[in-house]
Amino acid sequence: MASNTGNTILALLTGAAIGAGIGILFAPDKGTNTRRKIREGVDEAKENLNEKFSEVSEKLVDKAFLTKDNFDENFENFVSNASHKTEELITLLEEKLAALKLKNAKFQK
């Protein structure tokens, strides 16, 4: 989803920069003024693109940390549950072993 958002923003900024550039080129003005306006437009588009890139990067990093934290929490819960189940299984096996020892003791008499 972040990739689609980034692509959309990039497309909008590119379209805006192209539109501004064409508008400046067809405007009746001196060549030096036109070049200055184009340069300013390109610089502004670069700044906007860098800002949007930074925002998207921050969101991705935040999402990665949330996902990692969520994974760590789920893993800890899994290990804890597995530990409890292991204890239950050991208790059950000990009870079965005790019952088998009693049956075996009856055969030995």
Side-chain angles (χ1 to χ4, degrees):
M1 183 163 153
S3 178
N4 290 338
T5 303
N7 288 338
T8 302
I9 291 170
L10 180 62
L12 289 173
L13 290 174
T14 303
I18 290 171
I22 290 173
I24 291 170
L25 288 174
F26 286 106
D29 207 350
K30 288 183 174 181
T32 56
N33 289 341
T34 301
R35 286 189 294 277
R36 180 182 50 79
K37 288 179 183 177
I38 290 173
R39 186 173 46 251
E40 288 172 355
V42 168
D43 290 343
E44 184 178 325
K46 275 199 258 181
E47 288 177 19
N48 287 338
L49 186 58
N50 284 335
E51 287 175 11
K52 294 300 180 188
F53 180 76
S54 294
E55 288 175 15
V56 170
S57 294
E58 287 177 18
K59 287 180 182 178
L60 287 174
V61 167
D62 290 345
K63 179 109 175 138
F65 280 122
L66 286 174
T67 301
K68 182 190 176 302
D69 290 343
N70 192 20
F71 174 80
D72 289 344
E73 183 179 326
N74 286 339
F75 183 74
E76 287 177 18
N77 288 338
F78 171 76
V79 170
S80 177
N81 288 338
S83 177
H84 289 297
K85 294 294 182 188
T86 302
E87 287 296 322
E88 290 174 8
L89 182 59
I90 290 171
T91 302
L92 178 67
L93 290 173
E94 287 173 342
E95 290 170 359
K96 294 277 186 185
L97 182 60
L100 288 173
K101 283 183 178 181
L102 284 175
K103 283 184 181 179
N104 190 40
K106 290 179 184 176
F107 291 125
Q108 289 180 356
K109 290 185 182 182

